[in-house]
Amino acid sequence: MGISVILQAKAGSDAGYSDAMYVEKGAKVVPSRKVILRTVNILVSIRSGAADIETTKRALNDLKLGSVIIGLMNPYKPADVFAIMVRKKMTAFALELVPRISRAQDVDVLSSIASVVGYKGVLMAASLSKKMFPMMITAAGTVSPAKVFVIGAGVAGLQAIAMAKRIGASVSAYDIRPEVKEQVESLGARFISFDLEVDQVKGEGGYARKMDEDFYRKQRVQMEHIFSESDVVITTAAVPGKKAPILVSKNLLAALKPGSVVVDLSADSGGNCVDAVLGKTITTKNGVIISAPLNVASDIATHASQMLSKNLCNFITHIIKNKHLSLDMDDEVIQNTLIIHQGAFRRNAIIPKKDEGKMLSAKTVFLGFEVITKVPTTLHTPLMSGSNAISGITIVGALVAASGGLGLKGLSHPKTAVRGNILGAIGIAASATGFVLNNLVLIVAGSLVGASGIILTRVMCKAMNRSLANVLFGGVGAVQDLVQDDIYEGKIKSTSAEEVAMLLSTARRVVIVPGYGMAVAGAQSAVRALTELLEKNDITVEFGIHPVAGRMPGHMNVLLAEENISYEKLKDLDQINNSFHNTDVSIVLGANDVVNPLARESSGTPVSGMPILNVDKSRTVIVIKRSLSPGFAGIPNPLFAMENTLMLFGDGKEVIETLVSEYKAL
Ligand SMILES: NC(=O)C1=CN([C@@H]2O[C@H](COP(=O)(O)OP(=O)(O)OC[C@H]3O[C@@H](n4cnc5c(N)ncnc54)[C@H](OP(=O)(O)O)[C@@H]3O)[C@@H](O)[C@H]2O)C=CC1
Ligand SMILES: NC(=O)c1ccc[n+]([C@@H]2O[C@H](COP(=O)([O-])OP(=O)(O)OC[C@H]3O[C@@H](n4cnc5c(N)ncnc54)[C@H](O)[C@@H]3O)[C@@H](O)[C@H]2O)c1
């Protein structure tokens, strides 16, 4: 990118990255923080919240006029210190405001942090617990598995569920958002439902909304039973911009057995447990151990830094073109995160309503921010691997344009951007005509000859126990707004397990691309059986794992690892994308957004610009899913209508099991 990187000496040492490692990658290491601040054009930081106000003010004063600042800004907490940013005509991006859309996941630092926190929270709980997590039948008696209850199943909660399951616990979970039930179950845990009115729980951006005290009281009452059974409670419940709700009351603590453990992973936003002492581990009179760790990600500093630095690099790539800051004001990511632009406060930043007027009139519109003081280890220096001389950006470091200064370009005329405009032009086929169910595909040495079939009739809908509308639209709101289009019409070719088995028997290389649907179906053990069968017949099998497949980072990895599918077979985007043209059959199992060519070929959709697994380059693509419903992004997928694609409709697990039988029967 032609950017030079400066970082403070020893910035990465606590995270396992020495100064020499940065120098080797082409960065400049400077001992004096002041010198760095006075030199740089862009300052990349990480955390706010626990800001040391005076040091922050000093640091901001040291920065040049018009500097750009990128990091977690705590935009929900205005503070007078930030008036300095306005006065100095700075530009600030708050990364907690990254929209939760598929294409923005590569800059989503909250997801990265939550993943690390969920993982580590379970290890903390296990080490505090007086019980072992897995079941053991031993000569000294049977040790029952620890019962872990996770409250809040967003990214951190899902990761905690996966981790607790991995070390053998019996796991239940609860979340206020009803759609999370499927996600929890996709990890093999039990979802606990309560009798609560949940119509209003979902706020903007997929986040939970703040509920009134009466709602929380009802929640607490209904949780008593599950608490009395639990050995470990892990809480991750949060509402953006608000103090975390108190969900673990004194009554609930009293319901826990002595020796039980509560790990409150919402401590950074005030805590979910009434008696938690933030940053400490205590034991109650009842003998319940409560831990409320702060900045948990810093305990896993090496990997946390690696993930965060990748997010930051991606963000920088997004905003700098030809060494200049170049902002696409139509881009939802920029619209959301840009809270101060050349000293002007932008109204789209989330700030408490009560402070808005005050801040605007006083021109001290500001958002919590911590510069490089007291940098927690998480924020320390990431060192990116990769081929570029400088492929990593130190979080404590900063960037300087190589050619002496970054101009500010493309900022002046923000247009109104409406996310999803393009969707209006896409649509999906709303009529059943052309939806071909059975085809008479002839499969000859991996290539398709002809495709015709019968039109989808009510028979199919009946068989699936779903209405036609439900089959086509899958109940995902966004798609229902789309106008009818010709993406699918007359182009969908359906196949059968028998045909796919024949196709596989002629293949030499097969790539399996799992997605959220594999997890929902619990198809992973069937996938292992299929893999073994194919390999026994000298067919090479690899897995293409997209970084955002599923509903939490690493979702596919967890499930495939449970089945002992070797890590060597799991390939990321970079490792596998060049090999699809040499692939006879790609099996897309319950994946949708991560293989959607609209990501490459369109703009304005939630996936546009997101790298995908290029399965469409394979000789034949088999897509296994239950219907033509969209995935998380809510948009149609032209892959399903491509010439080399065959749809194998059905539940992922059942379909793969049938495929195994058909293959054996050949
Ligand atoms: N990884 C992460 O950290 C997070 C990811 N996300 C988002 O989730 C998406 C993940 O992409 P991807 O993994 O492709 O998943 P998608 O959500 O795009 O698609 C999943 C597909 O699975 C199918 N499916 C569901 N149940 C079954 C079943 N029982 N058997 C067979 N198929 C089934 C569905 O179709 P049908 O109903 O027709 O069967 C659906 O189209 C991305 O948009 C990502 O941004 C969101 C939050 C976090
Ligand atoms: N597409 C994407 O790219 C992407 C990436 C990451 C997250 N997301 C979505 O963002 C949303 C927020 O996820 P998050 O992990 O950042 O959430 P979060 O950290 O804000 O909250 C954690 C969880 O606490 C839950 N919660 C809040 N109040 C609760 C209560 N009273 N009782 C029980 N649970 C309660 C929330 O529903 C949430 O699941 C989710 O919809 C998630 O799927 C999308």
Side-chain angles (χ1 to χ4, degrees), residues 166-189:
R166 226 176 304 180
I167 56 172
S170 160
V171 186
S172 316
Y174 162 71
D175 195 286
I176 197 172
R177 293 177 296 120
E179 72 262 30
V180 175
K181 178 177 189 295
E182 185 185 74
Q183 298 172 16
V184 166
E185 289 172 349
S186 81
L187 285 162

Side-chain angles (χ1 to χ4, degrees), residues 495-554:
T495 185
S496 66
E498 189 188 358
E499 286 171 339
V500 176
M502 284 167 58
L503 183 57
L504 289 173
S505 70
T506 64
R508 296 175 64 186
R509 176 184 158 81
V510 171
V511 172
I512 300 177
V513 173
Y516 179 55
M518 180 190 79
V520 174
Q524 54 274 19
S525 73
V527 166
R528 180 179 45 76
L530 178 65
T531 306
E532 285 171 358
L533 192 59
L534 296 177
E535 286 179 337
K536 232 165 75 188
N537 287 285
D538 292 329
I539 298 169
T540 304
V541 183
E542 287 187 330
F543 289 78
I545 310 293
H546 193 280
V548 308
R551 290 293 182 272
M552 65 163 204

